[in-house]
C-alpha cells in the first residue's frame, strides 16, 4: 500500500483539514503524520494515526534578531526530517502549512518526493510561499489565492465527512443555541466581552462557550455552558443555531458549509491580517456578519448576534450562492493523480 505523509501544525486550522483527508483516504493508502510536539501530536495520538516527531522553527514578526538564527536552526530540523522520511519512504508529502510543515517539505524536496501543499486563507502564509516553489501544485481554498501561484489550483477546503453530515441531522432546539468560540486556543478578549453580555444574551439564547484551555475562569450563569476544548465538533455543530467565531479559514468553512449564521470577530494582533481578509471576503458577500475588535463591546456583540439571528434566512441564501466550500473530493483526486503518475 502506498504511503502519504501529512504535515502541518501550529494551530488546529493547520491540522484538522489533514485529519479530514486522512479519514477519507485510510484503507486505500497508509497515512502517517510528521509534525512537532504540539497540538498535532496530541490529536493524532487520540486517533491512532502513526506520528513522527520532527522539530521546527517559528518565524516571529516581533523578534527580528531571533529570526536571524532561523536558517541555522531550520537546517538542523530539515536534516532530522530527511532521516525521518528515509525511514517512512512515502510516495507523497501533503503540507497543510504552518511552521511545523516546513522541515518535512524541504526534506521531501531533497529526497525528490512529490509535494502537494494546501492554503486555506485568502492571503498565503509564509510556509505556503516557501513551499509553493517546491510543490507540484498549490491547492487553494480561494480562487484569488490560487491565482497568485503559477501552479495554483482552486479546490476548496478539506472538511470531515462527519461535519458534513451535521447539516442533514440537525437538532431542533426549543430555544436557539449560540456557540461562542475563539479558535483552538480560545480568545481572552472575546471571553471577557461575553461575560459582560451574558445576562442579556441568555434571555434569548442558550449559550455554549469554548473558552480555550485555562481561560474559562469561575464564571457561571443560567443558560450558559462552558468547555475548554471540544474534541467532537460534529456533535456540537448539530445543536447550534448561530455562532460567534474568530475568522480562521477552517472554522469559517465548517460553519459556512453547514449554513450556520455566524458573527466573525477576526484576530487583529499577532496576525498577518489573514483573518480580517477571510472575514471581509465572506462578509462582503452577505454570508456572515463581521464584528471588528476595535468596536467589540457587550452592546456591539449583542447587537451583532441578534441581527445575525434575525436575518438568518437571508444569510443562508447568500451562503448558498458561494462557490463550493468543501474541496475534499477534488483534493483526493489530485492526490491520487500525483501518486499514480510517480
Amino acid at each position: 500500500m502506498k504511503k502519504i505523509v501529512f504535515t502541518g501544525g501550529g494551530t488546529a486550522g493547520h491540522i484538522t483539514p489533514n485529519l479530514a483527508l486522512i479519514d477519507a483516504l485510510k484503507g486505500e493508502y497508509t497515512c502517517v503524520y510528521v509534525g512537532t510536539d504540539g497540538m498535532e501530536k496530541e490529536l493524532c495520538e487520540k486517533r491512532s494515526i502513526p506520528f513522527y516527531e520532527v522539530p521546527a522553527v517559528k518565524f516571529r514578526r516581533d523578534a527580528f534578531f531571533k529570526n536571524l538564527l532561523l536558517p541555522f536552526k531550520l537546517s538542523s530540523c530539515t536534516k532530522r526530517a530527511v532521516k525521518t522520511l528515509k525511514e517512512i519512504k512515502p510516495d507523497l508529502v501533503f503540507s497543510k502549512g504552518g511552521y511545523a510543515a516546513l522541515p518535512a517539505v524541504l526534506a521531501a524536496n531533497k529526497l525528490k518526493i512529490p509535494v502537494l501543499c494546501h492554503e486555506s486563507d485568502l492571503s498565503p502564509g509564509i510556509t505556503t510561499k516557501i513551499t509553493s516553489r517546491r510543490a507540484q501544485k498549490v491547492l487553494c481554498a480561494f480562487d484569488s489565492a490560487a491565482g497568485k501561484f503559477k501552479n495554483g489550483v482552486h479546490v476548496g477546503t478539506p472538511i470531515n465527512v462527519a461535519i458534513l453530515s451535521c447539516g442533514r441531522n440537525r437538532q431542533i432546539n426549543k430555544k436557539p443555541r449560540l456557540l461562542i468560540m475563539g479558535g483552538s486556543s480560545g480568545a481572552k478578549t472575546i471571553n471577557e466581552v461575553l461575560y459582560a453580555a451574558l445576562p442579556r444574551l441568555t434571555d434569548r439564547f442558550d449559550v455554549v462557550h469554548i473558552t480555550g484551555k485555562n481561560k474559562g475562569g469561575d464564571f457561571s450563569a443560567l443558560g450558559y455552558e462552558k468547555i475548554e476544548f471540544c474534541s467532537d465538533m460534529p456533535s456540537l455543530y448539530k445543536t447550534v443555531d448561530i455562532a460567534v467565531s474568530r475568522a480562521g479559514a477552517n472554522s469559517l468553512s465548517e460553519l459556512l458549509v453547514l449554513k450556520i449564521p455566524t458573527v466573525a470577530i477576526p484576530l487583529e494582533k499577532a496576525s498577518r491580517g489573514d483573518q480580517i481578509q477571510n472575514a471581509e471576503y465572506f462578509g462582503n458577500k452577505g454570508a456572515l456578519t463581521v464584528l471588528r475588535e476595535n468596536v467589540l463591546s457587550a452592546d456591539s456583540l449583542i447587537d451583532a448576534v441578534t441581527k445575525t439571528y434575525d436575518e438568518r434566512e437571508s444569510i443562508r441564501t447568500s451562503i448558498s450562492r458561494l462557490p463550493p466550500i468543501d474541496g475534499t473530493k477534488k483534493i483526493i483526486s489530485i492526490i491520487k493523480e500525483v501518486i499514480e503518475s510517480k
Side-chain angles (χ1 to χ4, degrees):
M1 190 178 290
K2 294 190 174 181
K3 292 182 182 179
I4 304 173
V5 161
F6 289 85
T7 186
T11 67
H14 292 120
I15 305 162
T16 53
N18 272 344
L19 300 180
L21 291 171
I22 290 171
D23 283 346
L25 289 165
K26 63 185 180 184
E28 193 170 355
Y29 296 93
T30 298
C31 299
V32 303
Y33 209 108
V34 171
T36 65
D37 185 18
M39 185 182 296
E40 59 268 28
K41 183 176 183 178
E42 179 183 352
L43 291 174
C44 286
E45 287 178 347
K46 285 182 178 178
R47 291 163 175 78
S48 299
I49 298 170
F51 187 88
Y52 293 78
E53 185 178 331
V54 170
V57 293
K58 185 176 182 179
F59 176 80
R60 296 284 301 274
R61 288 179 171 81
D62 58 348
F64 174 79
F65 291 105
K66 288 184 178 180
N67 290 335
L68 295 177
L69 298 175
L70 291 186
F72 306 99
K73 293 180 179 179
L74 181 58
S75 176
S76 174
C77 296
T78 302
K79 288 178 182 178
R80 174 74 175 272
V82 166
K83 183 178 179 180
T84 299
L85 293 188
K86 283 182 176 179
E87 179 183 347
I88 299 171
K89 296 182 174 63
D91 297 280
L92 173 72
V93 170
F94 187 94
S95 166
K96 190 59 200 71
Y99 66 91
L102 192 53
V105 171
L106 295 177
N109 193 240
K110 288 179 179 292
L111 297 173
K112 301 189 183 328
I113 299 168
V115 174
L116 289 173
C117 60
H118 184 276
E119 176 57 63
S120 292
D121 291 311
L122 196 67
S123 171
I126 292 173
T127 299
T128 301
K129 290 177 181 178
I130 295 172
T131 59
S132 66
R133 299 189 292 272
R134 296 164 174 82
Q136 292 201 3
K137 294 180 180 180
V138 182
L139 313 181
C140 299
F142 292 93
D143 184 53
S144 56
K148 296 175 181 178
F149 301 100
K150 292 181 180 179
N151 53 347
V153 182
H154 176 220
V155 295
T157 298
I159 298 178
N160 195 294
V161 66
I163 297 286
L164 298 174
S165 69
C166 298
R168 298 189 293 271
N169 301 292
R170 297 198 60 76
Q171 176 178 308
I172 299 175
N173 302 314
K174 291 182 179 179
K175 191 176 181 181
R177 197 171 198 220
L178 167 64
L179 169 64
I180 310 277
M181 57 183 183
S184 56
S185 58
K188 183 180 178 182
T189 302
I190 294 175
N191 291 358
E192 290 174 349
V193 170
L194 171 62
Y195 297 147
L198 264 179
R200 284 179 285 169
L201 282 176
T202 51
D203 283 343
R204 186 171 184 185
F205 303 95
D206 285 328
V207 178
V208 56
H209 179 201
I210 302 177
T211 66
K213 191 173 182 180
N214 300 322
K215 294 181 181 177
D218 297 324
F219 194 91
S220 62
L222 185 65
Y224 170 70
E225 175 190 354
K226 64 181 177 181
I227 50 179
E228 285 195 342
F229 178 79
C230 181
S231 59
D232 185 8
M233 289 303 296
S235 294
L236 180 56
Y237 281 144
K238 287 180 184 178
T239 73
V240 172
D241 299 290
I242 179 173
V244 173
S245 172
R246 283 299 195 188
N250 191 57
S251 296
L252 290 187
S253 295
E254 292 177 351
L255 292 165
L256 289 166
V257 81
L258 296 174
K259 294 187 177 180
I260 296 174
T262 298
V263 177
I265 306 175
L267 180 67
E268 309 227 10
K269 295 181 179 179
S271 167
R272 67 179 189 274
D274 50 299
Q275 290 204 9
I276 297 170
Q277 293 173 348
N278 294 340
E280 290 184 343
Y281 172 87
F282 291 115
N284 290 337
K285 294 180 180 297
L288 51 74
T289 300
V290 180
L291 178 58
R292 296 289 293 268
E293 277 190 342
N294 62 342
V295 295
L296 180 60
S297 66
D299 288 338
S300 66
L301 178 63
I302 293 166
D303 289 345
V305 168
T306 302
K307 182 175 182 291
T308 300
Y309 186 72
D310 288 344
E311 297 178 357
R312 59 193 179 277
E313 293 307 324
S314 173
I315 290 171
R316 288 178 180 133
T317 298
S318 296
I319 293 172
S320 67
R321 295 179 181 142
L322 294 172
I325 295 169
D326 176 30
T328 309
K329 289 182 180 179
K330 196 169 182 179
I331 294 168
I332 287 174
S333 175
I334 293 172
I335 286 174
K336 291 181 177 180
E337 176 188 319
V338 172
I339 289 179
E340 297 308 318
S341 64
K342 185 183 174 187

